[in-house]
């Protein structure tokens, strides 16, 4: 553990929450991609996006429930909604999943009628896309509302998560599209859209880290990401896997396996981005009368010296 | 109605951790849970270096960050201003641990003994386990509650009683004549991280 950050980094929200934030984003992004494809008349990609979106979010929610530890009353959150982003998020995500599920059952599921109610389908799609947008932005707002953690408490985080969610959503649709042998031209168009998204994401990420680095309270967290313990994951996972390689592959315009590989790497990058942001969430130390106070180092094993005691 | 608060005199505190121990004894907290902690800080450059201890606990803020983010209203300030957690309503989302600027909250997935795993629980440990599960619970947020049971018995919180330096003063901040209110006014009491806007009810008196 980086000694400077010892005891100040939050250790409660780790991989399960990172997977949840990632899947909620990618699922929402896939849904929006599907709805846009529907308006463009690309039926197959529309079906893939809309059929893929809500199950992703559902799996993410299962991770979230897993993180609560005891499943005893996960639905209490929804039953007593309050002015908290977790409560609001629960409602937004629930509505999104219900609308997207209805959409899937009515128009995407094979054998169900498609065609006659185009207006209704578009309307349900847009409502779903609206709540998908809410789901994607909410993941950033959730962290941003943790005021004591200045690394999260910024306007750029919801924007970063939204752009990343859109980008990973497009990539997820491309990945399944390649597997399902969807129209090449449409997939290439999506790849070109993804170029724009990746560039925006890289710019927002750079602005976010630059801003964090400039502020004393968040400088330690930014350093933790850029050259500390998280540097390997940040540079390899987020920068290379998630941004650089997919950008190059999309720009070259590879078909088939190449596009699928770019999508897989991009999705890994999206997950790594969520994780490094979570793992960099550090409070700043308490200070009084010219002193700065840091928590004492505690050993994981409360009594390491005793070792194994004989059974009595 | 009382509005309980605490004053900690940094001039008197010498960082002996008696408050941490007394809290553990009174609340049966499992390993790695410290409702009452002592932080150490250093200031100055060699050879003029000073060390200072800073005992911290839940500050029972007037405008608590943890209450703001709780999705189920499981944590709230009760009538005497003490911030408490209803373990029957808490869902264990740990959002309050992100919302508290002072790191006062702890969650344990299950109760653990201080002794190596595999040993049968002693009678005392069995009691501690049951007491912890009854009062605080596992998988939910837990924190200092100014020793509710001791206050009901008319005693002060255990960290106050245990402090060998008499550095802690517990009292009613609503009563201007209480020793706590008097000391805050007279000795320039201050709070930690005031920029967070949480208005803590645990005050500190400057070390020098």
């Amino acid at each position: 553990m980086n000694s400077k950050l010892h005891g100040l980094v939050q250790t409660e929200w780790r991989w399960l929450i990172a997977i949840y934030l990632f899947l909620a984003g990618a699922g929402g992004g896939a849904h929006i991609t599907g709805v846009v494809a529907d308006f463009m008349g690309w039926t197959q990609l529309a079906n893939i996006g809309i059929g893929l979106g809500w199950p992703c979010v559902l799996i993410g929610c299962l991770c979230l429930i897993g993180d609560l530890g005891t499943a005893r009353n996960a639905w209490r959150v929804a039953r007593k909604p309050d002015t908290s982003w977790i409560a609001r998020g629960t409602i937004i995500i629930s509505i999104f999943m219900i609308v997207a599920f209805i959409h899937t059952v009515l128009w995407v599921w094979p054998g169900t009628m498609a065609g006659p109610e185009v207006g209704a389908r578009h309307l349900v799609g847009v409502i779903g896309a609206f709540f998908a947008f809410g789901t994607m932005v909410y993941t950033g707002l959730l962290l941003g509302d943790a005021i004591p953690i200045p690394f999260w408490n910024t306007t750029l985080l919801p924007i970063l998560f939204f752009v990343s969610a859109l980008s990973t959503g497009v990539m997820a649709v491309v990945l399944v599209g390649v597997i399902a042998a969807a129209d090449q031209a449409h997939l290439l168009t999506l790849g070109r859209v993804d170029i724009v998204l990746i560039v925006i994401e890289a710019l927002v990420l750079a602005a976010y880290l630059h801003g964090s680095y400039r502020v004393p309270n968040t400088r330690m967290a930014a350093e933790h990401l850029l050259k500390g313990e998280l540097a390997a994951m940040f540079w390899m996972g987020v920068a290379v896997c998630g941004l650089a390689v997919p950008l190059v592959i999309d720009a070259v315009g590879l078909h088939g396996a190449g596009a699928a590989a770019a999508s897989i790497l991009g999705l890994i990058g999206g997950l790594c981005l969520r994780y490094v942001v979570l793992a960099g969430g550090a409070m700043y130390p308490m200070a009084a009368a010219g002193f700065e106070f840091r928590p004492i180092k505690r050993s994981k094993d409360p009594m390491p010296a005793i070792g194994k005691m004989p059974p009595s | 109605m009382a509005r309980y608060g605490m004053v900690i005199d940094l001039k008197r505190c010498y960082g002996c951790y008696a408050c941490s121990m007394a809290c553990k004894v009174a609340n049966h907290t499992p390993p790695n849970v410290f409702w009452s902690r002592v932080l150490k800080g250093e200031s100055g450059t060699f050879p003029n270096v000073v060390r200072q201890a800073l005992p911290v606990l839940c500050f029972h803020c007037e405008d608590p960050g943890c209450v703001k983010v709780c999705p189920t209203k499981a944590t709230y300030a009760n009538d005497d201003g003490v911030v408490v957690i209803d373990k029957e309503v808490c869902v264990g989302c740990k959002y309050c641990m992100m919302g508290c600027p002072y790191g006062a909250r702890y969650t344990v997935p299950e109760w653990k003994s201080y002794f190596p795993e595999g040993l049968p629980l002693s009678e005392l440990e069995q009691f501690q386990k049951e007491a912890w599960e009854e009062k605080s619970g596992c998988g939910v947020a837990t924190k200092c509650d100014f020793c509710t049971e001791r206050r009901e018995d008319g005693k002060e919180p255990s960290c106050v009683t245990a402090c060998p330096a008499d550095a802690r003063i517990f009292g009613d901040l609503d009563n201007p004549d209480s020793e706590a209110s008097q000391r805050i006014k007279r000795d320039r009491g201050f709070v930690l991280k005031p920029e967070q806007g949480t208005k803590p009810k645990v005050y500190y008196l400057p070390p020098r």
Side-chain angles (χ1 to χ4, degrees):
Chain A
M1 169 61 67
N2 185 331
S3 62
K4 269 187 176 174
L5 281 174
H6 173 79
L8 299 169
V9 173
Q10 64 88 12
T11 54
E12 303 299 325
W13 285 357
R14 286 287 152 137
W15 277 110
L16 275 178
I17 299 291
I19 293 171
Y20 159 68
L21 296 179
F22 164 70
L23 285 177
H31 187 87
I32 289 186
T33 311
V35 171
V36 173
D38 192 16
F39 274 95
M40 306 281 284
W42 308 344
T43 317
Q44 196 180 2
L45 286 182
N47 286 354
I48 289 170
I50 291 163
L52 188 68
W54 66 270
C56 279
V57 180
L58 185 64
I59 296 170
C61 289
L62 293 180
C63 288
L64 186 61
I65 292 170
D67 185 69
L68 295 183
T70 51
R72 81 198 149 99
N73 266 321
W75 72 291
R76 267 185 195 156
V77 186
R79 204 181 49 179
K80 279 180 84 181
D82 191 28
T83 55
S84 162
W85 273 110
I86 284 195
R88 287 181 209 138
T90 312
I91 296 168
I92 294 172
I93 290 182
S94 306
I95 296 176
F96 165 68
M97 286 198 293
I98 292 167
V99 172
F101 177 75
I102 292 171
H103 193 140
T104 307
V105 167
L106 285 185
W107 291 292
V108 176
W109 200 256
T112 49
M113 61 227 155
E117 320 95 324
V118 174
R121 190 180 75 212
H122 284 172
L123 181 67
V124 172
V126 167
I127 295 173
F130 176 75
F131 284 100
F133 170 77
T135 304
M136 293 148 80
V137 174
Y138 143 78
T139 55
L141 292 172
L142 169 74
L143 299 188
D145 214 28
I147 295 162
I149 299 179
F151 190 52
W152 298 349
N153 190 10
T154 148
T155 328
L156 276 178
L157 191 61
I159 300 172
L160 175 65
F161 275 13
F162 173 69
V163 179
S164 166
L166 213 48
S167 162
T168 48
V170 170
M171 288 177 187
V173 172
V174 170
L175 177 62
V176 179
V178 169
I179 293 169
D183 190 295
Q184 288 283 2
H186 297 165
L187 287 179
L188 275 182
T189 314
L190 278 188
R192 259 176 246 130
V193 172
D194 206 27
I195 293 176
V196 179
L197 290 174
I198 289 174
V199 170
I200 298 176
E201 184 184 344
L203 290 176
V204 175
L205 182 62
Y208 173 62
L209 288 175
H210 179 70
S212 303
Y213 196 78
R214 289 283 294 269
V215 179
N217 279 345
T218 50
R219 169 166 286 192
M220 280 190 314
E223 279 177 348
H224 196 43
L225 252 71
L226 294 173
K227 39 193 161 171
E229 204 174 293
L230 295 169
M233 186 179 283
F234 175 76
W235 290 110
M236 292 310 296
V238 180
V240 175
C241 264
L243 297 172
V245 176
L247 184 66
V248 170
I249 293 180
D250 280 341
V252 173
L254 284 186
H255 298 277
S263 297
I264 291 173
L265 289 176
L267 291 170
I268 293 173
L271 179 59
C272 289
L273 173 69
R274 303 307 193 284
Y275 183 79
V276 293
V277 168
L278 275 183
M283 300 185 185
Y284 51 97
M286 293 192 234
F291 295 92
E292 205 170 72
F293 296 94
R294 291 168 182 282
I296 48 165
K297 271 211 173 184
R298 272 189 256 119
S299 107
K300 263 258 181 284
D301 186 357
M303 294 183 79
I306 286 187
K308 253 207 148 39
M309 286 171 84
S312 57
Chain B
M1 205 66 217
R3 195 171 61 95
Y4 288 120
M6 194 181 283
V7 182
I8 300 176
D9 190 348
L10 294 183
K11 210 180 292 158
R12 297 194 71 93
C13 174
Y14 45 70
C16 67
Y17 301 99
C19 43
S20 296
M21 281 317 294
C23 175
K24 282 216 153 278
V25 171
N27 296 299
H28 317 296
T29 53
N32 284 347
V33 175
F34 291 88
W35 288 359
S36 176
R37 298 175 288 154
V38 181
L39 308 178
K40 297 282 171 80
E42 278 174 21
S43 140
T45 47
F46 179 81
N48 299 312
V49 180
V50 194
R51 249 185 144 210
Q52 177 62 48
L54 181 84
V56 292
L57 63 164
C58 173
F59 292 161
H60 298 280
C61 310
E62 308 258 9
D63 199 359
C66 53
V67 169
K68 251 181 275 175
V69 297
C70 179
T72 57
K73 280 198 182 358
T75 183
Y76 56 93
N78 64 17
D79 294 340
D80 43 18
V82 178
V83 178
V84 291
I85 301 161
D86 186 342
K87 74 172 164 66
E88 300 300 328
V89 183
C90 176
V91 293
C93 68
K94 307 178 193 84
Y95 203 12
C96 53
M97 298 176 75
M98 314 291 156
C100 172
Y102 310 104
R105 292 176 161 245
Y106 292 84
T107 307
V108 288
E110 54 178 344
W111 189 87
K112 267 205 180 119
S113 166
Y114 266 96
F115 292 103
E117 256 172 80
L119 293 177
L121 294 186
S122 68
E123 210 173 314
L124 173 65
E125 285 178 299
Q126 193 59 43
F127 168 77
Q128 288 178 325
K129 181 172 188 252
E130 280 161 22
W132 172 263
E133 278 163 2
E134 192 198 324
K135 180 182 172 181
S136 308
C138 300
V140 298
T142 69
K143 66 168 193 68
C144 158
D145 59 351
F146 274 164
C147 286
T148 304
E149 295 80 7
R150 288 177 60 91
R151 282 189 289 114
E152 278 165 3
D153 291 349
K155 296 178 198 158
E156 290 182 317
S158 62
C159 55
V160 179
T161 315
C163 183
D166 279 339
R168 291 176 181 243
I169 304 149
F170 181 72
D172 181 1
L173 299 185
D174 259 357
N175 175 6
D177 299 327
S178 72
E179 199 195 345
S181 309
Q182 289 286 329
R183 291 297 300 276
I184 292 168
K185 237 187 301 175
R186 206 176 63 216
D187 295 337
R188 295 171 289 131
F190 63 92
V191 296
L192 294 180
K193 292 193 182 176
E195 70 281 3
Q196 290 279 336
T198 48
K199 296 187 209 130
K201 284 204 287 287
V202 173
Y203 286 77
Y204 290 87
L205 304 183
R208 47 171 193 263

